[in-house]
Amino acid sequence: CIITDSAVITEDDSIAKKLSEQNIDVLKIEKGSVELKGLNYGFFGGATGLWNNTLFINGELKYHTDGDNIKSFCKKHKVSIIELKSGRISDIGSILFGIQV
């Protein structure tokens, strides 16, 4: 989950390590708090989308084990949060925004 050009949230150890080596600020979060129908768990990035310094989340952070850390990390990088639905966070493949030119 990209937060800014220099900040990322991930559940993946190898991604966290590689990005940290590139001077990217990484918040490493625990796996398992994101639902994905038919699987044991989904990915945080698949439940989110970033638009104009706002992180949209398909669910509520209070249901994520690292919810407070995610809030703090976003605040640190001046990114606001909008939770799009009540309940657990669900991986929907990511949230995309249409851009008109």
Side-chain angles (χ1 to χ4, degrees):
C1 174
I2 297 170
I3 301 301
T4 69
D5 290 342
S6 60
V8 171
I9 298 172
T10 185
E11 297 100 336
D12 187 276
D13 291 324
S14 60
I15 290 173
K17 183 177 186 267
K18 288 288 184 185
L19 291 175
S20 293
E21 291 169 357
Q22 300 299 315
N23 295 319
I24 303 292
D25 191 8
V26 177
L27 174 62
K28 169 69 174 62
I29 60 174
E30 293 298 317
K31 296 176 185 173
S33 291
V34 176
E35 295 180 330
L36 179 58
K37 191 173 183 172
L39 296 174
N40 292 334
Y41 61 88
F43 296 102
F44 188 69
T48 64
L50 186 69
W51 180 260
N52 289 336
N53 293 326
T54 300
L55 182 65
F56 293 84
I57 303 172
N58 188 42
E60 295 176 275
L61 283 173
K62 71 180 181 180
Y63 293 101
H64 197 290
T65 54
D66 288 300
D68 289 338
N69 293 333
I70 294 167
K71 287 178 188 177
S72 295
F73 190 76
C74 288
K75 184 176 181 179
K76 172 183 171 182
H77 291 282
K78 297 177 175 52
V79 171
S80 58
I81 296 171
I82 294 179
E83 298 167 325
L84 297 173
K85 71 173 184 100
S86 299
R88 294 203 47 193
I89 299 171
S90 299
D91 183 336
I92 55 173
S94 72
I95 299 170
L96 303 175
F97 301 91
I99 300 173
Q100 294 182 334
V101 185

